[in-house]
Amino acid sequence: MQIRELKIPDAYELTPKQHADDRGVFLEWYRFDRLEETIGHALDLRQANLSVSRKGVVRGIHFASVPRGQAKYVTAVRGAVLDYVIDIRVGSPTFGQWDSVLLDDVDRRSVYLAEGLGHAFVSLTDDAIVTYLVSDTFNPTREHGINPLDADIDLVFPPEAGVPLLSPKDTDGPSLEHAAASGLLPTWDESRAFYDSLTTSSTGKA
């Protein structure tokens, strides 16, 4: 498995090694030990989600309050999506910036994003199936969103996605500027402190 850090700190692209023969393909799409070596602590998996999306569907930008937040390990098991990681941590050196990774059933990459980061994707194919391993269960009082069409973030959707299809919940989300002004967003400092606490807990060092 090859692991590459994205331009957003605490987010990674993971590309598995695939073993193909006349029967099909085998691969390891998640390795807790390789991820722990990279992020400095074990990923405490508490829930698994799956979505099926038609071409053009945009899901996000979603995030959860920190702490505890919700780290995500995202994979497309059928079809293709362009996955976005958005830095919404106030005070981060890359605040307001984003990076993207093509997730599909060809290269079978995954994306890991730490707690406090925003997440979205656009489906490039019909019936794209995306799985999410997450570090906390869903809590509606701590789940939030930002409008994925916010001009300040300026997510770029590829032409092959067609006309973006969004839920009213996502289009009704605040802009990044409004979310920051209202105190809705996590901060860089509190996010880093939470990551450090996870590393301390994982290593047993005070």
Side-chain angles (χ1 to χ4, degrees):
M1 179 177 287
Q2 296 180 334
I3 301 178
R4 176 180 70 89
E5 187 168 21
L6 302 183
K7 76 175 186 180
I8 304 302
D10 310 303
Y12 298 87
E13 171 196 275
L14 303 98
T15 304
K17 182 177 180 180
Q18 301 188 58
H19 305 273
D21 58 25
D22 56 1
R23 300 169 299 166
V25 177
F26 176 85
L27 64 140
E28 297 174 343
W29 65 277
Y30 173 69
R31 279 282 300 265
F32 87 96
D33 54 340
R34 293 295 310 279
L35 186 61
E36 182 175 357
E37 290 171 3
T38 301
I39 65 177
H41 61 82
L43 181 57
D44 182 12
L45 296 179
R46 300 190 176 190
Q47 185 171 311
N49 304 325
L50 182 148
S51 66
V52 181
S53 303
R54 59 185 288 194
K55 184 177 180 179
V57 165
V58 177
R59 296 184 186 268
I61 300 167
H62 300 149
F63 66 99
S65 299
V66 177
R68 167 174 178 93
Q70 195 179 66
K72 298 177 180 178
Y73 191 95
V74 187
T75 308
V77 296
R78 185 170 76 182
V81 304
L82 188 62
D83 197 80
Y84 302 89
V85 178
I86 305 96
D87 197 342
I88 57 170
R89 299 167 297 186
V90 176
S92 168
T94 55
F95 177 73
Q97 299 180 35
W98 56 271
D99 203 351
S100 62
V101 175
L102 176 65
L103 304 181
D104 60 23
D105 55 11
V106 178
D107 293 318
R108 305 184 193 277
R109 296 185 182 94
S110 299
V111 166
Y112 167 83
L113 59 149
E115 297 86 348
L117 292 171
H119 178 253
F121 72 76
V122 59
S123 179
L124 306 180
T125 60
D126 280 326
D127 298 324
I129 299 179
V130 174
T131 64
Y132 321 68
L133 303 178
V134 296
S135 64
D136 202 8
T137 56
F138 176 74
N139 183 338
T141 65
R142 300 181 62 80
E143 296 284 336
H144 311 289
I146 295 171
N147 190 324
L149 303 181
D150 180 11
D152 287 338
I153 296 175
D154 194 25
L155 293 182
V156 177
F157 302 126
E160 58 266 35
V163 178
L165 303 173
L166 300 98
S167 71
K169 178 182 177 182
D170 287 341
T171 55
D172 289 344
S175 66
L176 182 68
E177 181 180 13
H178 185 270
S182 64
L184 187 65
L185 301 180
T187 70
W188 171 254
D189 289 342
E190 69 186 357
S191 297
R192 301 305 308 178
F194 182 66
Y195 308 155
D196 289 344
S197 74
L198 294 174
T199 299
T200 298
S201 176
S202 184
T203 62
K205 297 179 181 179

